[in-house]
Amino acid sequence: PLHHRQWRGGRLRRLARNPLSHWTATLRPATRMKIRALIVDDEPLARQGLHRLARDEPDLDLIGECASGPDALLVMEREPPTLVFLDVQMPEMDGFEMLARLPRDRLPVVIFTTAYDQYAVRAFEAHALDYLLKPIRPSRFQDAVARARAHLGGREAGTAARGLLDL
């Protein structure tokens, strides 16, 4: 039963009473920000697998897939992603070299993907948010995306707070 209505933040909130006599709010589901993601891997099957996993995440907006570091740099210059799934070992330019060529102020959140665990320490030294070993389990992928979501949400909140302080 509806017991009370309240106007908050430009929308009407309905407060209902539950059987335990606690007040609960019935709200619209929170809208999530879109995460602009790029997949960079020289192996077509790995790209397909990542694409399939990413498709199940409603807030991931895949802006592209690249088979090499140089191709990824071109895409990132035109359309900067907020998140990159980046293979470590690729011909021409490995993932670490690719990151080194990006301006510091344009570095996206990076989740390394590789079949080798020997690069883990170097990946975290390069400030990777996560490190996924191939073959990638769906639950592990979901955990990594959740970490990226939380990280980006915190970064967005920090930017908003700095903007308020500048007023």
Side-chain angles (χ1 to χ4, degrees):
L2 185 63
H3 293 284
H4 186 67
R5 292 176 190 220
Q6 208 174 29
W7 185 259
R8 288 278 167 105
R11 66 177 182 265
L12 184 66
R13 287 177 41 169
R14 294 180 182 180
L15 298 178
R17 230 175 135 92
N18 72 15
L20 299 175
S21 299
H22 298 295
W23 291 96
T24 57
T26 307
L27 300 173
R28 291 186 288 195
T31 55
R32 287 187 176 162
M33 65 176 177
K34 282 289 188 183
I35 299 172
R36 298 167 44 79
L38 178 66
I39 295 171
V40 184
D41 199 309
D42 62 314
E43 301 171 30
L45 287 176
R47 286 195 308 274
Q48 289 172 5
L50 283 166
H51 185 102
R52 197 170 29 259
L53 290 167
R55 212 177 34 213
D56 293 335
E57 298 291 333
D59 54 343
L60 279 188
D61 179 20
L62 277 179
I63 62 168
E65 298 176 9
C66 299
S68 71
D71 289 347
L73 290 172
L74 290 173
V75 169
M76 293 171 79
E77 189 175 313
R78 285 192 323 262
E79 205 170 346
T82 49
L83 173 64
V84 175
F85 295 97
L86 181 59
D87 187 17
V88 174
Q89 281 193 314
M90 295 182 291
E92 296 180 61
M93 179 187 305
D94 70 21
F96 298 113
E97 187 180 347
M98 191 196 97
L99 288 178
R101 292 187 183 200
L102 287 171
R104 286 272 179 227
D105 62 332
R106 297 202 46 180
L107 279 175
V109 171
V110 176
I111 296 175
F112 276 106
T113 61
T114 185
Y116 308 99
D117 61 1
Q118 67 200 38
Y119 298 108
V121 172
R122 188 170 174 205
F124 288 111
E125 287 173 348
H127 305 289
L129 184 69
D130 212 329
Y131 190 89
L132 298 174
L133 284 174
K134 298 173 189 175
I136 299 167
R137 294 185 332 265
S139 62
R140 188 65 188 86
F141 181 85
Q142 292 164 355
D143 290 346
V145 171
R147 287 185 72 197
R149 193 178 287 126
H151 179 80
L152 290 166
R155 188 186 327 179
E156 194 172 89
T159 301
R162 281 190 299 281
L164 287 173
L165 291 173
D166 290 343
L167 291 178

